[in-house]
Amino acid sequence: MISVKDFTTKLNLEALNETTRTEMDINVTDINRPGMQFCDFYEYFAYERPQVIGKVEMTYLETLDPDKRRAVLEKYMSYPLPCIIVCWGMTPPREMLEIATAQNIPVLQSKDQTTGLTYRATTYLNRELAPHVTRHGVLVDVYGVGVLLTGESGVGKSEVALDLVRRGHQLCADDVVDICRVSENHLVGECPEMVRHFMEIRGIGIIDIRAMYGVGSVVRSKSIDMVIHMEHWDNTKEYDRLGLKEETTDILGVKVPYQVMPVRPGRNLAIIVEVAARNLSLKQMGYSAARELDRRLNALIAQNSGMGDQ
């Protein structure tokens, strides 16, 4: 369900009629332009989508005589439409407002062109209807790479993020990260409004990152491109030293690159996160330092083997 108030506010729409509806039953991220329906073609009618009326549809309605127009609109609005959006700041016919009010269908007006409104509405619905999950962690933008720092409480996630902000990177969320899947393989995280831009540092308390470091130190939302799990160094555990094996973790059905970062005194964790972000960018461009070293070693072994056979 989509809130009528939120939908109207976020898309900068104006209500043209009064209804008792506070929510719209929208479950898809597309819109429908009812040109074919106005021509009495209902074989395939996506009535469950927001209905967008542009200049073409409005011009056609204006060519009809009042009785014909009323008949066309009555049949059209006999379906349970979630809402009707009139673009270009156009004023809809009186019959449309009367029938829509009787059917409890919100009629909304947009000053935008039809294409622009369609794009913004689709983007909004993609975000609102996307699967969501909340995770404990810190999300930072490092060289354009969205890094989600996870780990048990007190391991030092916020301190690493603070050091990264001091080095010119951006904080997205501290402690609580709201994650949504905006496409089949793309995750976006952001911070809840109540705690946005705030960070907790043990021994100091709550600090406001934006107030201390400026608006350039924070970002409202960020894609999640990799997960770095911070844990206290375990001498009995064998940590990856080559990087040949690429691990992933599953978040909302999306496989995200995953690395474990052991924490102990003396390690410069902020620099390690920076290196991990740069290394991921190189891998996405097709270059892997670990695989290049492995290739060179294999070539050297093959060369020495060939010399031994002679």
Side-chain angles (χ1 to χ4, degrees), residues 68-88:
K68 174 64 173 176
R69 183 164 55 234
R70 179 173 289 274
V72 167
L73 292 174
E74 283 180 344
K75 182 173 182 180
Y76 169 62
M77 283 184 273
S78 66
Y79 291 82
L81 310 179
C83 67
I84 298 173
I85 307 174
V86 180
C87 300
W88 294 90

Side-chain angles (χ1 to χ4, degrees), residues 89-110:
M90 295 182 295
T91 300
R94 175 176 54 84
E95 297 90 346
M96 177 180 290
L97 295 177
E98 290 177 355
I99 299 170
T101 302
Q103 296 289 347
N104 203 31
I105 299 172
V107 178
L108 310 171
Q109 184 188 69
S110 172

Side-chain angles (χ1 to χ4, degrees), residues 135-152:
R135 291 287 179 88
H136 173 66
V138 180
L139 181 58
V140 286
D141 182 338
V142 183
Y143 298 126
V145 177
V147 181
L148 177 62
L149 302 173
T150 63
E152 63 182 30

